[in-house]
């Protein structure tokens, strides 16, 4: 773990000690743990008291099931705040009109912890999802946040993304569980955009889309000891869909396990696309078990028939390292580097690969428009 995140956790331990002095139980404000009565107003009243506490405070959700409609928890707060979940927070059924179920915004120093869970009631919305309709809500969205710790809780069956991080700094996930069926649409576990200093460690993520997706405008992302599967793997992108997207810089993914996923490690961009950059990326010490496409760079990403396939991506991908990626590939081609003709991939390094097709045959690598170096004996060891 980098020194930044060590310091970050020490600060949070100190903050928790100070915040635990004032505790506000949502039941004391009228929330009923019957899973049927909307507790939004009670939660907001408890939040106001917690947020206004001069030394910080804790909003306490006891054991029980609490129905919570779309709600926003606003800052800034007077001190560090803790959102302690021991019961179940249940979303309303249906697709909804907002882009989030629960929004935290403009808060410096927030901890969300406990042994409880968030039930997004995804099955009530998934069947209503299609490419031309408005996206259903993410379970939790963070906007304009800083110094956030999410620890211990479980997110179940989000309608869209489980966690969405936007315009934030210093958000750390630790010991979380995220789960949705493998065929659930767009249920990314953690989606990061326009944010920096984000970490995910000791997490178990099973979804119908990317376990972790890293979007434009992100830097200093650290992912370690994540179990991913089922799902679409760990992805950077898709990038280059919109004008003026920020670059992706400084991503480390190491010591992770990826099991029975559509992809393993992936960088993807649209074609055509406006210009941006991805650089300084490391994937290291990753075990794959029947990942269909263990290593992929796809600069011709086109997930549906309505998107354009004319032109080339202008997303420049460079300084990407794949080191000690090992295990069973679900396809004969274990490495696919399909880069842009206009902006070829630069400085792609592969070391210590050991990818075996179905546990029996050596895999191959296909590469186009890429400056690639294979170092040492490995499988695959060259492009074909």
């Amino acid at each position: 773990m980098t020194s930044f995140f060590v310091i970050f956790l020490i600060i949070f331990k100190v903050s928790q000690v100070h915040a635990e002095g004032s505790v506000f139980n949502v039941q004391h404000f009228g929330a009923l743990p019957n899973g049927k009565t909307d507790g939004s107003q009670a939660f907001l009243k408890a939040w106001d008291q917690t947020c206004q506490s001069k030394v910080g405070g804790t909003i306490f959700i006891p054991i029980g099931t609490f129905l919570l409609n779309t709600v926003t928890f606003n800052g800034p707060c007077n001190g560090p705040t803790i959102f302690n979940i021991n019961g179940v927070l249940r979303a309303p059924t249906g697709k909804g009109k907002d882009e989030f179920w629960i929004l935290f915004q403009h808060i410096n120093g927030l901890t969300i912890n406990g042994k409880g869970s968030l039930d997004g009631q995804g099955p009530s919305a998934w069947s209503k999802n299609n490419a031309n309709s408005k996206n259903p809500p993410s379970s939790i969205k963070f906007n304009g946040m800083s110094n956030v710790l999410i620890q211990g809780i479980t997110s179940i069956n989000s309608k869209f993304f489980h966690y969405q991080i936007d315009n934030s700094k210093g958000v750390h996930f630790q010991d979380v569980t995220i789960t949705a069926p493998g065929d659930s649409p767009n249920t990314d576990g953690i989606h990061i955009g326009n944010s920096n200093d984000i970490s995910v460690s000791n997490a178990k993520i099973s979804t119908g889309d990317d376990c972790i997706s890293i979007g434009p405008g992100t830097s200093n992302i650290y992912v370690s000891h994540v179990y991913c599967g089922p799902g679409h793997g760990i992805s950077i992108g898709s990038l280059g869909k919109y004008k003026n997207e920020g670059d992706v810089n400084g991503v480390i993914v190491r010591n992770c396990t990826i099991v029975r996923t559509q992809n393993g490690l992936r960088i993807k961009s649209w074609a055509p696309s406006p210009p941006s950059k991805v650089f300084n990326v490391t994937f290291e010490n990753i075990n794959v078990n029947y990942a269909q496409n263990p290593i992929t760079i796809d600069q011709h990403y086109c997930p549906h028939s309505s998107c354009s396939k004319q032109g080339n991506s202008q997303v420049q991908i460079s300084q990407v390292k794949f080191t000690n990626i090992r295990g069973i590939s679900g396809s004969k081609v274990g490495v696919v580097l399909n880069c842009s003709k206009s902006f070829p991939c630069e400085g792609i390094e592969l070391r210590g690969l050991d990818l075996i097709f179905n546990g029996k045959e050596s895999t191959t690598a296909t590469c186009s428009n890429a400056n690639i170096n294979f170092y040492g004996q490995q499988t695959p060891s060259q492009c074909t």
Side-chain angles (χ1 to χ4, degrees), residues 272-288:
S273 77
S276 63
K277 297 178 181 178
V278 180
F279 58 101
N280 191 20
V281 176
T282 298
F283 299 104
E284 183 178 44
N285 299 333
I286 309 296
N287 293 319
V288 298

Side-chain angles (χ1 to χ4, degrees), residues 39-335:
S40 302
Q41 291 306 310
F43 273 67
L44 286 172
K45 290 176 182 177
W47 173 258
D48 286 343
Q49 293 295 312
T50 303
C51 192
Q52 292 171 14
S53 176
K54 293 182 179 180
V55 295
T58 298
I59 178 170
F60 178 73
I61 299 97
I63 293 173
T65 300
F66 296 87
L67 176 64
L68 198 63
N69 281 318
T70 301
V71 63
T72 298
F73 297 106
N74 275 310
C77 296
N78 290 330
T81 54
I82 298 176
F83 207 90
N84 183 232
I85 305 172
N86 297 283
V88 177
L89 302 187
R90 177 176 291 170
T93 57
K95 189 171 180 179
K97 298 180 180 180
D98 297 287
E99 64 177 19
F100 58 85
W101 167 30
I102 300 171
L103 171 65
F104 292 94
Q105 64 178 357
H106 310 312
I107 303 164
N108 180 10
L110 171 70
T111 297
I112 302 175
N113 63 11
K115 298 181 180 179
S117 60
L118 309 164
D119 180 3
Q121 301 242 61
S124 68
W126 294 333
S127 61
K128 301 178 178 66
N129 227 359
N130 61 68
N132 297 317
S133 65
K134 184 178 181 295
N135 292 326
S138 298
S139 283
I140 289 188
K141 181 176 180 179
F142 297 108
N143 179 53
M145 301 287 289
S146 57
N147 300 317
V148 179
L149 174 64
I150 303 96
Q151 186 176 40
I153 63 173
T154 298
S155 178
I156 303 166
N157 291 342
S158 60
K159 294 183 174 75
F160 195 58
F161 301 156
H162 287 260
Y163 296 97
Q164 183 176 359
I165 305 169
D166 196 25
N167 295 308
S168 296
K169 179 178 181 179
V171 180
H172 179 69
F173 292 84
Q174 186 177 50
D175 300 316
V176 299
T177 300
I178 298 171
T179 181
D183 59 353
S184 56
N186 299 308
T187 52
D188 293 45
I190 300 171
H191 177 76
I192 307 164
N194 299 305
S195 299
N196 56 76
D197 299 337
I198 312 297
S199 76
V200 184
S201 62
N202 298 312
K204 184 175 182 180
I205 306 176
S206 305
T207 72
D209 210 293
D210 295 324
C211 292
I212 299 172
S213 53
I214 300 168
T218 56
S219 63
N220 195 14
I221 310 298
Y222 184 79
V223 177
S224 68
H225 296 94
V226 170
Y227 176 98
C228 168
H232 293 180
I234 298 174
S235 295
I236 297 176
S238 54
L239 307 174
K241 188 174 183 179
Y242 304 105
K243 292 182 179 180
N244 302 316
E245 288 184 352
D247 297 340
V248 176
N249 170 29
V251 177
I252 297 175
V253 179
R254 59 163 55 113
N255 300 324
C256 295
T257 299
I258 300 176
V259 179
R260 298 192 179 278
T261 53
Q262 183 187 88
N263 304 286
L265 309 168
R266 178 170 58 161
I267 303 174
K268 53 180 178 172
S269 69
W270 295 80
S273 77
S276 63
K277 297 178 181 178
V278 180
F279 58 101
N280 191 20
V281 176
T282 298
F283 299 104
E284 183 178 44
N285 299 333
I286 309 296
N287 293 319
V288 298
N289 189 354
Y290 289 98
Q292 192 66 24
N293 305 291
I295 295 175
T296 303
I297 296 179
D298 180 9
Q299 293 206 259
H300 301 84
Y301 179 66
C302 182
H304 46 77
S305 59
S306 62
C307 61
S308 172
K309 294 184 179 180
Q310 303 299 318
N312 296 308
S313 172
Q314 296 185 64
V315 177
Q316 178 66 70
I317 299 175
S318 64
Q319 302 173 42
V320 180
K321 299 178 181 180
F322 297 94
T323 303
N324 296 334
I325 317 299
R326 304 184 176 193
I328 300 173
S329 172
S331 58
K332 176 67 174 175
V333 182
V335 177

